[in-house]
Amino acid sequence: MHPGKERAHVQTESRPAVPRPAGGGPGHPADKRYTAMRDALAATGRNILYSLCNWGQESVWTWGASVGNSWRNTGDIGGNWNSIMGILDQQVGKDPYARPGAWNDPDMLEVGNGPTDTESRAHFSLWALLNAPLLAGNDLRSMSAATRTILTNTEVITVDQD
């Protein structure tokens, strides 16, 4: 997206789904691009959860809370235990940047996408301890009973939302 076009993009694209910013290209710092989109979203007058996806680049956790509600702070997660643990390791030191209404986002949950049920329970619980957004990355239409049980564990969800 070209700088300055955020408002037109939001007016065209603001449907019930959450609008997403497009890239601004080289030479346009992420905080400026995302701030422009934040302002365009605010101008709609609607309550919108604004999730920044900068894949952890430009130390997004240090400025994300002033611009949006959540920010991806790593590259993409994979559906395996090594990827989950690698992303968990990258969370060290980022907790001071999160607060109510502003969250570090280590990426979606891979529950039901490859990890064993035991690994999936641990993954869900670890993301809850991080107060991370609990975004299911699996196909909700065809998930197993075990996956549904993990994703709807109210005790773990309560930990995430405290």
Side-chain angles (χ1 to χ4, degrees):
M1 177 177 307
H2 298 288
K5 301 289 184 185
E6 292 83 1
R7 191 173 306 266
H9 176 74
V10 168
Q11 289 170 346
T12 301
E13 298 296 325
S14 82
R15 296 175 227 144
V18 178
R20 296 177 304 181
H28 301 285
D31 61 332
K32 303 297 182 227
R33 291 192 321 264
Y34 285 105
T35 298
M37 181 58 87
R38 176 205 61 203
D39 295 345
L41 291 169
T44 69
R46 294 173 38 210
N47 289 325
I48 298 173
L49 185 135
Y50 185 29
S51 177
L52 315 178
C53 188
N54 204 36
W55 299 279
Q57 301 298 308
E58 300 180 64
S59 300
V60 64
W61 54 91
T62 64
W63 51 266
S66 67
V67 178
N69 301 104
S70 68
W71 47 90
R72 282 278 307 282
N73 61 15
T74 67
D76 292 340
I77 195 169
N80 62 76
W81 187 244
N82 287 337
S83 178
I84 292 165
M85 294 311 295
I87 286 182
L88 178 66
D89 288 344
Q90 293 176 56
Q91 302 310 302
V92 174
K94 294 178 180 167
D95 54 302
Y97 299 100
R99 59 181 174 273
W103 306 280
N104 288 300
D105 178 2
D107 205 2
M108 67 182 174
L109 294 161
E110 288 293 342
V111 175
N113 282 340
T116 67
D117 289 345
T118 299
E119 291 169 343
S120 290
R121 276 191 298 278
H123 175 28
F124 189 63
S125 297
L126 290 165
W127 263 226
L129 288 171
L130 294 170
N131 294 106
L134 299 177
L135 304 173
N138 62 303
D139 186 339
L140 299 177
R141 300 166 299 174
S142 60
M143 69 178 145
S144 70
T147 295
R148 182 183 325 273
T149 297
I150 293 166
L151 293 175
T152 59
N153 183 324
T154 56
E155 291 177 350
V156 175
I157 293 168
T158 298
V159 168
D160 183 67
Q161 296 180 348
D162 73 349

PDB file of all heavy atoms in Angstrom, residues 38-69:
ATOM      1  N   ARG A  38      -3.623   2.598  11.758  1.00  0.00           N
ATOM      2  CA  ARG A  38      -4.353   2.763  13.025  1.00  0.00           C
ATOM      3  C   ARG A  38      -5.260   3.984  12.952  1.00  0.00           C
ATOM      4  O   ARG A  38      -6.428   3.939  13.332  1.00  0.00           O
ATOM      5  CB  ARG A  38      -3.374   2.922  14.189  1.00  0.00           C
ATOM      6  CG  ARG A  38      -4.081   3.187  15.521  1.00  0.00           C
ATOM      7  CD  ARG A  38      -3.227   3.911  16.520  1.00  0.00           C
ATOM      8  NE  ARG A  38      -2.821   5.210  16.031  1.00  0.00           N
ATOM      9  CZ  ARG A  38      -1.744   5.870  16.465  1.00  0.00           C
ATOM     10  NH1 ARG A  38      -0.965   5.329  17.388  1.00  0.00           N
ATOM     11  NH2 ARG A  38      -1.434   7.051  15.984  1.00  0.00           N
ATOM     12  N   ASP A  39      -4.724   5.090  12.453  1.00  0.00           N
ATOM     13  CA  ASP A  39      -5.495   6.326  12.367  1.00  0.00           C
ATOM     14  C   ASP A  39      -6.673   6.177  11.401  1.00  0.00           C
ATOM     15  O   ASP A  39      -7.770   6.668  11.668  1.00  0.00           O
ATOM     16  CB  ASP A  39      -4.594   7.488  11.945  1.00  0.00           C
ATOM     17  CG  ASP A  39      -3.540   7.808  12.995  1.00  0.00           C
ATOM     18  OD1 ASP A  39      -3.670   7.350  14.157  1.00  0.00           O
ATOM     19  OD2 ASP A  39      -2.564   8.505  12.640  1.00  0.00           O
ATOM     20  N   ALA A  40      -6.439   5.466  10.301  1.00  0.00           N
ATOM     21  CA  ALA A  40      -7.526   5.246   9.340  1.00  0.00           C
ATOM     22  C   ALA A  40      -8.607   4.355   9.946  1.00  0.00           C
ATOM     23  O   ALA A  40      -9.805   4.602   9.746  1.00  0.00           O
ATOM     24  CB  ALA A  40      -6.970   4.618   8.058  1.00  0.00           C
ATOM     25  N   LEU A  41      -8.209   3.335  10.692  1.00  0.00           N
ATOM     26  CA  LEU A  41      -9.189   2.468  11.350  1.00  0.00           C
ATOM     27  C   LEU A  41      -9.973   3.243  12.401  1.00  0.00           C
ATOM     28  O   LEU A  41     -11.193   3.093  12.513  1.00  0.00           O
ATOM     29  CB  LEU A  41      -8.493   1.267  11.988  1.00  0.00           C
ATOM     30  CG  LEU A  41      -7.897   0.255  11.020  1.00  0.00           C
ATOM     31  CD1 LEU A  41      -7.018  -0.738  11.771  1.00  0.00           C
ATOM     32  CD2 LEU A  41      -8.981  -0.452  10.230  1.00  0.00           C
ATOM     33  N   ALA A  42      -9.294   4.082  13.169  1.00  0.00           N
ATOM     34  CA  ALA A  42      -9.964   4.878  14.200  1.00  0.00           C
ATOM     35  C   ALA A  42     -10.997   5.820  13.578  1.00  0.00           C
ATOM     36  O   ALA A  42     -12.055   6.078  14.167  1.00  0.00           O
ATOM     37  CB  ALA A  42      -8.941   5.665  15.012  1.00  0.00           C
ATOM     38  N   ALA A  43     -10.713   6.308  12.377  1.00  0.00           N
ATOM     39  CA  ALA A  43     -11.622   7.241  11.707  1.00  0.00           C
ATOM     40  C   ALA A  43     -12.939   6.584  11.293  1.00  0.00           C
ATOM     41  O   ALA A  43     -13.915   7.279  11.024  1.00  0.00           O
ATOM     42  CB  ALA A  43     -10.936   7.856  10.481  1.00  0.00           C
ATOM     43  N   THR A  44     -12.996   5.255  11.281  1.00  0.00           N
ATOM     44  CA  THR A  44     -14.257   4.585  10.940  1.00  0.00           C
ATOM     45  C   THR A  44     -15.265   4.687  12.069  1.00  0.00           C
ATOM     46  O   THR A  44     -16.453   4.466  11.860  1.00  0.00           O
ATOM     47  CB  THR A  44     -14.040   3.083  10.625  1.00  0.00           C
ATOM     48  OG1 THR A  44     -13.683   2.391  11.826  1.00  0.00           O
ATOM     49  CG2 THR A  44     -13.003   2.881   9.538  1.00  0.00           C
ATOM     50  N   GLY A  45     -14.793   4.965  13.293  1.00  0.00           N
ATOM     51  CA  GLY A  45     -15.678   5.049  14.442  1.00  0.00           C
ATOM     52  C   GLY A  45     -16.079   3.693  15.012  1.00  0.00           C
ATOM     53  O   GLY A  45     -16.895   3.626  15.929  1.00  0.00           O
ATOM     54  N   ARG A  46     -15.519   2.620  14.466  1.00  0.00           N
ATOM     55  CA  ARG A  46     -15.841   1.270  14.945  1.00  0.00           C
ATOM     56  C   ARG A  46     -14.766   0.790  15.913  1.00  0.00           C
ATOM     57  O   ARG A  46     -13.609   1.180  15.799  1.00  0.00           O
ATOM     58  CB  ARG A  46     -15.908   0.310  13.762  1.00  0.00           C
ATOM     59  CG  ARG A  46     -17.054   0.612  12.834  1.00  0.00           C
ATOM     60  CD  ARG A  46     -17.057  -0.220  11.563  1.00  0.00           C
ATOM     61  NE  ARG A  46     -16.651  -1.589  11.766  1.00  0.00           N
ATOM     62  CZ  ARG A  46     -16.032  -2.308  10.828  1.00  0.00           C
ATOM     63  NH1 ARG A  46     -15.741  -1.772   9.662  1.00  0.00           N
ATOM     64  NH2 ARG A  46     -15.705  -3.554  11.065  1.00  0.00           N
ATOM     65  N   ASN A  47     -15.149  -0.065  16.862  1.00  0.00           N
ATOM     66  CA  ASN A  47     -14.174  -0.719  17.728  1.00  0.00           C
ATOM     67  C   ASN A  47     -13.537  -1.847  16.934  1.00  0.00           C
ATOM     68  O   ASN A  47     -14.232  -2.770  16.508  1.00  0.00           O
ATOM     69  CB  ASN A  47     -14.839  -1.293  18.986  1.00  0.00           C
ATOM     70  CG  ASN A  47     -15.267  -0.198  19.923  1.00  0.00           C
ATOM     71  OD1 ASN A  47     -14.604   0.821  20.041  1.00  0.00           O
ATOM     72  ND2 ASN A  47     -16.380  -0.412  20.596  1.00  0.00           N
ATOM     73  N   ILE A  48     -12.244  -1.752  16.714  1.00  0.00           N
ATOM     74  CA  ILE A  48     -11.529  -2.742  15.922  1.00  0.00           C
ATOM     75  C   ILE A  48     -10.287  -3.167  16.678  1.00  0.00           C
ATOM     76  O   ILE A  48      -9.510  -2.320  17.124  1.00  0.00           O
ATOM     77  CB  ILE A  48     -11.121  -2.163  14.541  1.00  0.00           C
ATOM     78  CG1 ILE A  48     -12.375  -1.790  13.743  1.00  0.00           C
ATOM     79  CG2 ILE A  48     -10.251  -3.145  13.776  1.00  0.00           C
ATOM     80  CD1 ILE A  48     -12.093  -1.071  12.444  1.00  0.00           C
ATOM     81  N   LEU A  49     -10.103  -4.470  16.843  1.00  0.00           N
ATOM     82  CA  LEU A  49      -8.861  -4.987  17.397  1.00  0.00           C
ATOM     83  C   LEU A  49      -7.832  -4.943  16.278  1.00  0.00           C
ATOM     84  O   LEU A  49      -8.024  -5.538  15.225  1.00  0.00           O
ATOM     85  CB  LEU A  49      -9.032  -6.428  17.890  1.00  0.00           C
ATOM     86  CG  LEU A  49      -7.787  -6.947  18.590  1.00  0.00           C
ATOM     87  CD1 LEU A  49      -8.161  -7.657  19.859  1.00  0.00           C
ATOM     88  CD2 LEU A  49      -6.963  -7.804  17.681  1.00  0.00           C
ATOM     89  N   TYR A  50      -6.765  -4.211  16.505  1.00  0.00           N
ATOM     90  CA  TYR A  50      -5.759  -3.990  15.467  1.00  0.00           C
ATOM     91  C   TYR A  50      -4.527  -4.824  15.778  1.00  0.00           C
ATOM     92  O   TYR A  50      -3.796  -4.564  16.727  1.00  0.00           O
ATOM     93  CB  TYR A  50      -5.434  -2.501  15.404  1.00  0.00           C
ATOM     94  CG  TYR A  50      -4.499  -2.088  14.302  1.00  0.00           C
ATOM     95  CD1 TYR A  50      -4.411  -2.784  13.099  1.00  0.00           C
ATOM     96  CD2 TYR A  50      -3.696  -0.972  14.454  1.00  0.00           C
ATOM     97  CE1 TYR A  50      -3.555  -2.383  12.097  1.00  0.00           C
ATOM     98  CE2 TYR A  50      -2.840  -0.551  13.461  1.00  0.00           C
ATOM     99  CZ  TYR A  50      -2.769  -1.266  12.280  1.00  0.00           C
ATOM    100  OH  TYR A  50      -1.915  -0.860  11.294  1.00  0.00           O
ATOM    101  N   SER A  51      -4.310  -5.858  14.968  1.00  0.00           N
ATOM    102  CA  SER A  51      -3.193  -6.773  15.137  1.00  0.00           C
ATOM    103  C   SER A  51      -2.112  -6.456  14.112  1.00  0.00           C
ATOM    104  O   SER A  51      -2.367  -6.462  12.903  1.00  0.00           O
ATOM    105  CB  SER A  51      -3.688  -8.214  14.958  1.00  0.00           C
ATOM    106  OG  SER A  51      -2.612  -9.110  15.053  1.00  0.00           O
ATOM    107  N   LEU A  52      -0.924  -6.168  14.597  1.00  0.00           N
ATOM    108  CA  LEU A  52       0.202  -5.840  13.723  1.00  0.00           C
ATOM    109  C   LEU A  52       0.949  -7.119  13.374  1.00  0.00           C
ATOM    110  O   LEU A  52       1.243  -7.920  14.261  1.00  0.00           O
ATOM    111  CB  LEU A  52       1.167  -4.881  14.432  1.00  0.00           C
ATOM    112  CG  LEU A  52       0.550  -3.706  15.182  1.00  0.00           C
ATOM    113  CD1 LEU A  52       1.642  -2.900  15.870  1.00  0.00           C
ATOM    114  CD2 LEU A  52      -0.271  -2.849  14.260  1.00  0.00           C
ATOM    115  N   CYS A  53       1.258  -7.309  12.119  1.00  0.00           N
ATOM    116  CA  CYS A  53       2.030  -8.484  11.724  1.00  0.00           C
ATOM    117  C   CYS A  53       3.302  -8.011  11.030  1.00  0.00           C
ATOM    118  O   CYS A  53       3.327  -7.756   9.839  1.00  0.00           O
ATOM    119  CB  CYS A  53       1.230  -9.420  10.831  1.00  0.00           C
ATOM    120  SG  CYS A  53       2.121 -10.958  10.538  1.00  0.00           S
ATOM    121  N   ASN A  54       4.319  -7.853  11.834  1.00  0.00           N
ATOM    122  CA  ASN A  54       5.624  -7.423  11.332  1.00  0.00           C
ATOM    123  C   ASN A  54       6.661  -8.518  11.574  1.00  0.00           C
ATOM    124  O   ASN A  54       7.842  -8.281  11.497  1.00  0.00           O
ATOM    125  CB  ASN A  54       6.023  -6.115  12.038  1.00  0.00           C
ATOM    126  CG  ASN A  54       7.004  -5.304  11.243  1.00  0.00           C
ATOM    127  OD1 ASN A  54       6.929  -5.276  10.030  1.00  0.00           O
ATOM    128  ND2 ASN A  54       7.934  -4.652  11.910  1.00  0.00           N
ATOM    129  N   TRP A  55       6.171  -9.715  11.908  1.00  0.00           N
ATOM    130  CA  TRP A  55       6.996 -10.916  12.112  1.00  0.00           C
ATOM    131  C   TRP A  55       8.178 -10.668  13.035  1.00  0.00           C
ATOM    132  O   TRP A  55       9.247 -11.244  12.854  1.00  0.00           O
ATOM    133  CB  TRP A  55       7.461 -11.493  10.786  1.00  0.00           C
ATOM    134  CG  TRP A  55       6.321 -11.913   9.930  1.00  0.00           C
ATOM    135  CD1 TRP A  55       5.625 -13.083  10.024  1.00  0.00           C
ATOM    136  CD2 TRP A  55       5.727 -11.173   8.868  1.00  0.00           C
ATOM    137  NE1 TRP A  55       4.620 -13.111   9.098  1.00  0.00           N
ATOM    138  CE2 TRP A  55       4.666 -11.947   8.359  1.00  0.00           C
ATOM    139  CE3 TRP A  55       5.975  -9.931   8.305  1.00  0.00           C
ATOM    140  CZ2 TRP A  55       3.864 -11.528   7.326  1.00  0.00           C
ATOM    141  CZ3 TRP A  55       5.177  -9.508   7.263  1.00  0.00           C
ATOM    142  CH2 TRP A  55       4.142 -10.311   6.786  1.00  0.00           C
ATOM    143  N   GLY A  56       7.997  -9.797  14.039  1.00  0.00           N
ATOM    144  CA  GLY A  56       9.054  -9.539  15.010  1.00  0.00           C
ATOM    145  C   GLY A  56      10.150  -8.623  14.520  1.00  0.00           C
ATOM    146  O   GLY A  56      11.139  -8.415  15.224  1.00  0.00           O
ATOM    147  N   GLN A  57       9.992  -8.069  13.356  1.00  0.00           N
ATOM    148  CA  GLN A  57      11.011  -7.176  12.815  1.00  0.00           C
ATOM    149  C   GLN A  57      10.925  -5.802  13.476  1.00  0.00           C
ATOM    150  O   GLN A  57       9.892  -5.417  14.004  1.00  0.00           O
ATOM    151  CB  GLN A  57      10.833  -7.030  11.293  1.00  0.00           C
ATOM    152  CG  GLN A  57      10.917  -8.343  10.539  1.00  0.00           C
ATOM    153  CD  GLN A  57      12.259  -9.016  10.692  1.00  0.00           C
ATOM    154  OE1 GLN A  57      13.306  -8.422  10.473  1.00  0.00           O
ATOM    155  NE2 GLN A  57      12.244 -10.277  11.102  1.00  0.00           N
ATOM    156  N   GLU A  58      11.998  -5.052  13.418  1.00  0.00           N
ATOM    157  CA  GLU A  58      12.065  -3.672  13.911  1.00  0.00           C
ATOM    158  C   GLU A  58      11.640  -3.548  15.381  1.00  0.00           C
ATOM    159  O   GLU A  58      11.045  -2.543  15.774  1.00  0.00           O
ATOM    160  CB  GLU A  58      11.242  -2.739  13.012  1.00  0.00           C
ATOM    161  CG  GLU A  58      11.732  -2.731  11.560  1.00  0.00           C
ATOM    162  CD  GLU A  58      10.929  -1.814  10.673  1.00  0.00           C
ATOM    163  OE1 GLU A  58      10.955  -0.599  10.916  1.00  0.00           O
ATOM    164  OE2 GLU A  58      10.273  -2.322   9.737  1.00  0.00           O
ATOM    165  N   SER A  59      11.922  -4.599  16.172  1.00  0.00           N
ATOM    166  CA  SER A  59      11.596  -4.595  17.610  1.00  0.00           C
ATOM    167  C   SER A  59      10.162  -4.133  17.860  1.00  0.00           C
ATOM    168  O   SER A  59       9.896  -3.300  18.724  1.00  0.00           O
ATOM    169  CB  SER A  59      12.585  -3.717  18.375  1.00  0.00           C
ATOM    170  OG  SER A  59      13.903  -4.195  18.215  1.00  0.00           O
ATOM    171  N   VAL A  60       9.232  -4.717  17.124  1.00  0.00           N
ATOM    172  CA  VAL A  60       7.825  -4.312  17.189  1.00  0.00           C
ATOM    173  C   VAL A  60       7.271  -4.330  18.615  1.00  0.00           C
ATOM    174  O   VAL A  60       6.404  -3.518  18.957  1.00  0.00           O
ATOM    175  CB  VAL A  60       6.962  -5.169  16.233  1.00  0.00           C
ATOM    176  CG1 VAL A  60       6.959  -6.625  16.644  1.00  0.00           C
ATOM    177  CG2 VAL A  60       5.541  -4.620  16.123  1.00  0.00           C
ATOM    178  N   TRP A  61       7.769  -5.193  19.462  1.00  0.00           N
ATOM    179  CA  TRP A  61       7.269  -5.254  20.847  1.00  0.00           C
ATOM    180  C   TRP A  61       7.553  -3.973  21.609  1.00  0.00           C
ATOM    181  O   TRP A  61       6.864  -3.664  22.556  1.00  0.00           O
ATOM    182  CB  TRP A  61       7.824  -6.473  21.581  1.00  0.00           C
ATOM    183  CG  TRP A  61       9.313  -6.563  21.548  1.00  0.00           C
ATOM    184  CD1 TRP A  61      10.192  -6.040  22.466  1.00  0.00           C
ATOM    185  CD2 TRP A  61      10.102  -7.192  20.554  1.00  0.00           C
ATOM    186  NE1 TRP A  61      11.482  -6.295  22.087  1.00  0.00           N
ATOM    187  CE2 TRP A  61      11.455  -7.013  20.904  1.00  0.00           C
ATOM    188  CE3 TRP A  61       9.800  -7.894  19.380  1.00  0.00           C
ATOM    189  CZ2 TRP A  61      12.508  -7.502  20.139  1.00  0.00           C
ATOM    190  CZ3 TRP A  61      10.841  -8.384  18.624  1.00  0.00           C
ATOM    191  CH2 TRP A  61      12.170  -8.189  19.001  1.00  0.00           C
ATOM    192  N   THR A  62       8.538  -3.167  21.184  1.00  0.00           N
ATOM    193  CA  THR A  62       8.866  -1.933  21.902  1.00  0.00           C
ATOM    194  C   THR A  62       7.935  -0.777  21.544  1.00  0.00           C
ATOM    195  O   THR A  62       7.813   0.161  22.325  1.00  0.00           O
ATOM    196  CB  THR A  62      10.323  -1.504  21.642  1.00  0.00           C
ATOM    197  OG1 THR A  62      10.492  -1.189  20.254  1.00  0.00           O
ATOM    198  CG2 THR A  62      11.304  -2.593  22.054  1.00  0.00           C
ATOM    199  N   TRP A  63       7.282  -0.829  20.400  1.00  0.00           N
ATOM    200  CA  TRP A  63       6.391   0.259  19.990  1.00  0.00           C
ATOM    201  C   TRP A  63       4.979  -0.208  19.639  1.00  0.00           C
ATOM    202  O   TRP A  63       4.076   0.609  19.459  1.00  0.00           O
ATOM    203  CB  TRP A  63       6.970   1.039  18.807  1.00  0.00           C
ATOM    204  CG  TRP A  63       7.402   0.199  17.625  1.00  0.00           C
ATOM    205  CD1 TRP A  63       8.656  -0.278  17.377  1.00  0.00           C
ATOM    206  CD2 TRP A  63       6.577  -0.253  16.546  1.00  0.00           C
ATOM    207  NE1 TRP A  63       8.649  -1.017  16.224  1.00  0.00           N
ATOM    208  CE2 TRP A  63       7.395  -1.004  15.682  1.00  0.00           C
ATOM    209  CE3 TRP A  63       5.241  -0.090  16.227  1.00  0.00           C
ATOM    210  CZ2 TRP A  63       6.912  -1.603  14.518  1.00  0.00           C
ATOM    211  CZ3 TRP A  63       4.759  -0.686  15.067  1.00  0.00           C
ATOM    212  CH2 TRP A  63       5.595  -1.430  14.226  1.00  0.00           C
ATOM    213  N   GLY A  64       4.747  -1.516  19.593  1.00  0.00           N
ATOM    214  CA  GLY A  64       3.452  -2.035  19.165  1.00  0.00           C
ATOM    215  C   GLY A  64       2.275  -1.567  20.001  1.00  0.00           C
ATOM    216  O   GLY A  64       1.207  -1.286  19.473  1.00  0.00           O
ATOM    217  N   ALA A  65       2.451  -1.473  21.314  1.00  0.00           N
ATOM    218  CA  ALA A  65       1.335  -1.087  22.189  1.00  0.00           C
ATOM    219  C   ALA A  65       0.865   0.342  21.945  1.00  0.00           C
ATOM    220  O   ALA A  65      -0.294   0.665  22.211  1.00  0.00           O
ATOM    221  CB  ALA A  65       1.726  -1.265  23.653  1.00  0.00           C
ATOM    222  N   SER A  66       1.730   1.187  21.432  1.00  0.00           N
ATOM    223  CA  SER A  66       1.319   2.566  21.157  1.00  0.00           C
ATOM    224  C   SER A  66       0.566   2.683  19.836  1.00  0.00           C
ATOM    225  O   SER A  66      -0.010   3.729  19.541  1.00  0.00           O
ATOM    226  CB  SER A  66       2.538   3.493  21.143  1.00  0.00           C
ATOM    227  OG  SER A  66       3.373   3.198  20.038  1.00  0.00           O
ATOM    228  N   VAL A  67       0.558   1.594  19.061  1.00  0.00           N
ATOM    229  CA  VAL A  67      -0.044   1.627  17.734  1.00  0.00           C
ATOM    230  C   VAL A  67      -1.231   0.671  17.596  1.00  0.00           C
ATOM    231  O   VAL A  67      -2.244   1.013  17.003  1.00  0.00           O
ATOM    232  CB  VAL A  67       1.028   1.304  16.657  1.00  0.00           C
ATOM    233  CG1 VAL A  67       0.426   1.282  15.265  1.00  0.00           C
ATOM    234  CG2 VAL A  67       2.178   2.287  16.727  1.00  0.00           C
ATOM    235  N   GLY A  68      -1.094  -0.528  18.147  1.00  0.00           N
ATOM    236  CA  GLY A  68      -2.134  -1.541  17.965  1.00  0.00           C
ATOM    237  C   GLY A  68      -2.433  -2.288  19.252  1.00  0.00           C
ATOM    238  O   GLY A  68      -1.989  -1.903  20.333  1.00  0.00           O
ATOM    239  N   ASN A  69      -3.191  -3.359  19.111  1.00  0.00           N
ATOM    240  CA  ASN A  69      -3.583  -4.173  20.262  1.00  0.00           C
ATOM    241  C   ASN A  69      -2.715  -5.404  20.446  1.00  0.00           C
ATOM    242  O   ASN A  69      -2.581  -5.915  21.549  1.00  0.00           O
ATOM    243  CB  ASN A  69      -5.038  -4.618  20.125  1.00  0.00           C
ATOM    244  CG  ASN A  69      -5.969  -3.447  20.022  1.00  0.00           C
ATOM    245  OD1 ASN A  69      -6.449  -3.142  18.938  1.00  0.00           O
ATOM    246  ND2 ASN A  69      -6.213  -2.767  21.127  1.00  0.00           N
TER     247      ASN A  69
END
